[in-house]
Amino acid sequence: MSLRARDLQFYYGARKILENISLTADEGELIGVVGPNGSGKTTLLKILDGLLKPKIGSVYLDGKSIQEMSIKEIARNIAMVPQDASADVEFTAFEMVIMGRTPHLGKLSLETVEDEAKVKRWMEVTETLHLAERKMSEISGGEKQRVIIARALAQEPRVLLLDEPTANLDLCYQLQIMDLLKRLTRELGLIVICAIHDLNLASRYCDRIILLNEGVIAAVGKPIEVITAENLRKVFKVDAKITHDPETNSLNIIPIKSLKEREAESRKMICILARGEGSK
Ligand code: ADP
């Protein structure tokens, strides 16, 4: 199974947002999409999910363009965990997750015992079964995020897309979510693509990273190839120190200074020097 995007170009109105985006994701891969705010991460995920239609290019699942698939067919193959999942609702966690079965329901739209068993299974995998009867509005952010992931998994997709799944979560929940995503790729062979801000987490967990800059792919490859001081300077406009942690076999990224700050310092220095010279 593979997901491919070829030469995607996307506009919001007259503004070009994405250009020349081609990517390939194979079974069992965990791919991180990183880049500054506004670089096009969410837009790319929405195109991969068929929610937005590119002006040029297409997305292919096992060679078939998703533009030729019905919404239901896409939903049986690709599931999305959006950034702003409005989860502050009065539904219970179980009711929330069973909604994920919708693309698989028959004409009468009634869930069967089998659907319920599947929901329980995904709640077990995401460690949310104990929350089944709790209202979504009454559980913590990390628990909510796991329930929303369970709902996406209840669609039984082959591709799982997540938009900033660890945003606003404490350290423990961040690791839990990333560990879960890794297990889904390793044990079930899912393709997982997630937009992620935390470069440390991305480099630790992702097999490959796509670095977006102003709507184009600035770099793609293994974390060690993409998260380099040069790329961070070019794309994020920061000087960063990058070391390798042998214990976790991951990168440790410490942003040192923004280039704006550095420029301001040099301007200040030039002024001081100029004043010094002027007073001689
Ligand atoms: P990211 O996820 O990397 O922060 P987005 O994909 O959300 O980036 O946004 C990319 C660009 O598209 C930004 O300049 C943003 O302002 C613009 N944009 C996002 N959504 C819309 C929209 N619905 N209408 C118009 N412009 C949008």
Side-chain angles (χ1 to χ4, degrees):
M1 191 247 308
S2 69
L3 180 81
R4 288 179 211 289
R6 207 162 297 153
D7 294 332
L8 299 178
Q9 195 177 90
F10 180 82
Y11 286 74
Y12 272 122
R15 247 185 88 208
K16 196 190 282 175
I17 304 295
L18 293 174
E19 189 178 14
N20 268 339
I21 304 280
S22 293
L23 62 91
T24 302
D26 289 313
E27 197 167 312
E29 269 200 301
L30 174 49
I31 297 180
V33 182
V34 305
N37 290 330
S39 55
K41 302 181 292 296
T42 301
T43 307
L44 176 59
L45 290 182
K46 286 181 177 171
I47 293 173
L48 296 179
D49 192 31
L51 289 170
L52 293 176
K53 198 169 164 291
K55 184 172 180 195
I56 297 179
S58 191
V59 177
Y60 302 86
L61 195 62
D62 281 343
K64 182 175 176 185
S65 168
I66 63 168
Q67 285 174 24
E68 289 161 23
M69 297 182 186
S70 67
I71 293 175
K72 217 169 173 176
E73 191 180 356
I74 294 176
R76 282 196 294 258
N77 286 290
I78 305 174
M80 167 88 123
V81 175
Q83 199 179 127
D84 49 357
S86 47
D88 246 357
V89 289
E90 292 303 297
F91 295 120
T92 65
F94 184 86
E95 287 165 343
M96 196 75 178
V97 180
I98 207 160
M99 286 176 204
R101 295 300 301 156
T102 310
H104 296 274
L105 300 182
K107 281 201 178 106
L108 295 176
S109 295
L110 292 176
E111 295 98 6
T112 62
V113 176
E114 204 185 315
D115 289 312
E116 289 190 5
K118 283 184 173 169
V119 165
K120 282 193 180 133
R121 174 174 174 236
W122 291 117
M123 293 189 86
E124 259 165 22
V125 171
T126 52
E127 295 176 39
T128 53
L129 192 53
H130 65 289
L131 303 167
E133 299 311 319
R134 300 262 302 273
K135 284 188 180 157
M136 290 297 286
S137 55
E138 293 168 9
I139 60 177
S140 77
E143 290 167 339
K144 249 180 232 164
Q145 186 65 294
R146 296 209 306 276
V147 172
I148 302 291
I149 293 175
R151 182 180 65 178
L153 291 171
Q155 281 175 233
E156 302 200 303
R158 298 188 294 159
V159 180
L160 180 64
L161 307 170
L162 306 100
D163 198 352
E164 312 257 359
T166 55
N168 306 318
L169 298 185
D170 71 29
L171 278 179
C172 177
Y173 278 133
Q174 288 180 15
L175 294 183
Q176 270 187 16
I177 297 281
M178 295 309 291
D179 281 329
L180 169 65
L181 299 184
K182 194 88 189 172
R183 270 176 45 219
L184 293 172
T185 59
R186 294 297 179 269
E187 293 170 19
L188 302 173
L190 256 70
I191 291 175
V192 175
I193 304 180
C194 65
I196 182 164
H197 258 301
D198 188 320
L199 298 180
N200 285 299
L201 274 185
S203 72
R204 176 162 166 192
Y205 284 92
C206 297
D207 300 306
R208 281 194 298 138
I209 290 183
I210 294 169
L211 173 61
L212 278 185
N213 187 27
E214 295 177 1
V216 296
I217 295 182
V220 59
K222 290 186 184 138
I224 200 162
E225 296 162 346
V226 173
I227 308 296
T228 63
E230 194 187 338
N231 281 340
L232 298 194
R233 199 173 304 123
K234 201 166 68 186
V235 174
F236 287 93
K237 316 282 183 247
V238 290
D239 276 334
K241 186 175 161 193
I242 303 175
T243 54
H244 179 251
D245 176 32
E247 200 175 323
T248 52
N249 191 26
S250 63
L251 301 175
N252 199 359
I253 300 124
I254 306 167
I256 308 285
K257 199 168 267 191
S258 79
L259 294 190
K260 273 192 186 145
E261 205 180 327
R262 180 156 291 214
E263 276 166 20
E265 275 176 8
S266 357
R267 270 200 302 275
K268 208 162 134 193
M269 188 57 76
I270 290 166
C271 284
I272 291 170
L273 288 174
R275 272 205 302 272
E277 279 184 15
S279 63
K280 269 182 201 162

